[in-house]
Amino acid sequence: MGEQNVIEESFNIERVVGLFNESLAGSEDDVGLLLYVHAYRELNKLFAVLGMIFKFVEKDVADKEGILANLIEGNSTAYGSVASMIAHELQTGIPPKEQGSRTLLRLHRALEFVILFVRQMHEMGSDDSVSQMCRACYEKTLAHHHGWLIRQSVSVASRTLPSREYLIKEIFAHHEDGVPQELIDKHATEFNEIATKVYDRIQKMYVENMILTLP
């Protein structure tokens, strides 16, 4: 595999920010579903950066992206946005396990972890423990939705996370050395602001429609 292919397949935080930002356009309270899926395809590369600890999340996210993409392709009107998807599925009475709303909820929960992890990654000091930070982020978010076995596996595997220096470069600096701190700060701030807006809009829609606990 050539260097150019490696670069193209690597995580690009600016692309995630751009796609999430586009997904918010055109409405003050909705999220474009296709752009959200495209953003998540890029965001899923972050789980690969974290190594084997989140391999199961990476695969699950890819599966969920595929389900939503198929629903959008089959009915782009009903599945054009998160709001239209929820309205369509509540109106037609689609069984929960077949709902795009249920599938999106899994991605939504994972996004909460990513936002917190990226924020803490940016703010932590050089002497802080990456593994402890990751476990804390996980316990505050995704752990609430996982069984005991997965929670224990994450706790043990978090000790194998890459170094802080490596993760900073992979997440914020396009895998390059010597990137100015100002640029790293800019990427971190923009991601936190835009991803949080996306999360908050979806959270509000799920709460208002009482579907935040779909099985």
Side-chain angles (χ1 to χ4, degrees), residues 111-121 136-137 140-141:
L111 182 59
E112 182 184 22
F113 164 79
V114 172
I115 291 170
L116 184 58
F117 178 83
V118 171
R119 183 188 306 145
Q120 294 297 319
M121 192 75 242
C137 292
K140 290 177 182 178
T141 57

Side-chain angles (χ1 to χ4, degrees), residues 55-98:
K55 195 67 178 177
F56 72 97
V57 177
E58 182 187 0
K59 183 182 183 306
D60 186 55
V61 165
D63 291 342
K64 300 296 186 287
E65 291 165 8
I67 292 170
L68 289 175
N70 287 336
L71 289 171
I72 295 166
E73 183 178 359
N75 189 340
S76 60
T77 300
Y79 291 92
S81 74
V82 175
S84 64
M85 173 182 70
I86 292 173
H88 169 71
E89 294 186 339
L90 289 177
Q91 182 179 11
T92 55
I94 297 173
K97 289 189 177 181
E98 298 176 16

Side-chain angles (χ1 to χ4, degrees), residues 5-212:
N5 288 335
V6 172
I7 293 173
E8 289 176 355
E9 293 175 6
S10 299
F11 177 64
N12 187 323
I13 195 168
E14 290 174 286
R15 178 165 169 75
V16 176
V17 169
L19 289 166
F20 270 154
N21 195 37
E22 286 185 61
S23 77
L24 299 173
S27 172
E28 294 183 357
D29 55 8
D30 201 0
V31 177
L33 194 54
L34 183 60
L35 287 163
Y36 180 95
V37 170
H38 287 167
Y40 230 109
R41 283 182 179 156
E42 185 66 34
L43 192 61
N44 199 23
K45 297 174 185 177
L46 177 58
F47 291 114
V49 170
L50 297 180
M52 291 302 296
I53 180 176
F54 282 109
K55 195 67 178 177
F56 72 97
V57 177
E58 182 187 0
K59 183 182 183 306
D60 186 55
V61 165
D63 291 342
K64 300 296 186 287
E65 291 165 8
I67 292 170
L68 289 175
N70 287 336
L71 289 171
I72 295 166
E73 183 178 359
N75 189 340
S76 60
T77 300
Y79 291 92
S81 74
V82 175
S84 64
M85 173 182 70
I86 292 173
H88 169 71
E89 294 186 339
L90 289 177
Q91 182 179 11
T92 55
I94 297 173
K97 289 189 177 181
E98 298 176 16
Q99 288 183 3
S101 301
R102 177 181 183 270
T103 300
L104 178 64
L105 180 59
R106 273 56 183 176
L107 299 182
H108 178 64
R109 291 169 177 171
L111 182 59
E112 182 184 22
F113 164 79
V114 172
I115 291 170
L116 184 58
F117 178 83
V118 171
R119 183 188 306 145
Q120 294 297 319
M121 192 75 242
H122 176 238
E123 294 177 352
M124 69 184 296
S126 57
D127 295 329
D128 294 335
S129 168
V130 174
S131 62
Q132 289 180 7
M133 180 275 287
C134 181
R135 284 198 301 274
C137 292
Y138 174 77
E139 288 165 5
K140 290 177 182 178
T141 57
L142 280 173
H144 298 301
H145 312 291
H146 291 159
W148 180 85
L149 183 59
I150 291 179
R151 294 198 305 270
Q152 290 301 112
S153 298
V154 170
S155 179
V156 173
S158 65
R159 300 169 189 169
T160 67
L161 278 168
S163 68
R164 175 184 179 275
E165 292 73 18
Y166 174 84
L167 288 174
I168 288 289
K169 187 168 70 171
E170 290 293 304
I171 295 171
F172 301 115
H174 298 297
H175 337 286
E176 299 174 2
D177 295 316
V179 174
Q181 184 63 43
E182 292 80 5
L183 187 56
I184 291 174
D185 294 342
K186 176 177 180 291
H187 291 163
T189 300
E190 289 178 347
F191 175 82
N192 183 65
E193 289 178 354
I194 296 300
T196 298
K197 282 183 182 179
V198 170
Y199 179 87
D200 287 347
R201 284 193 187 185
I202 294 176
Q203 181 78 1
K204 185 173 184 287
M205 285 185 273
Y206 271 69
V207 169
E208 289 177 346
N209 288 281
M210 296 181 290
I211 55 172
L212 199 57

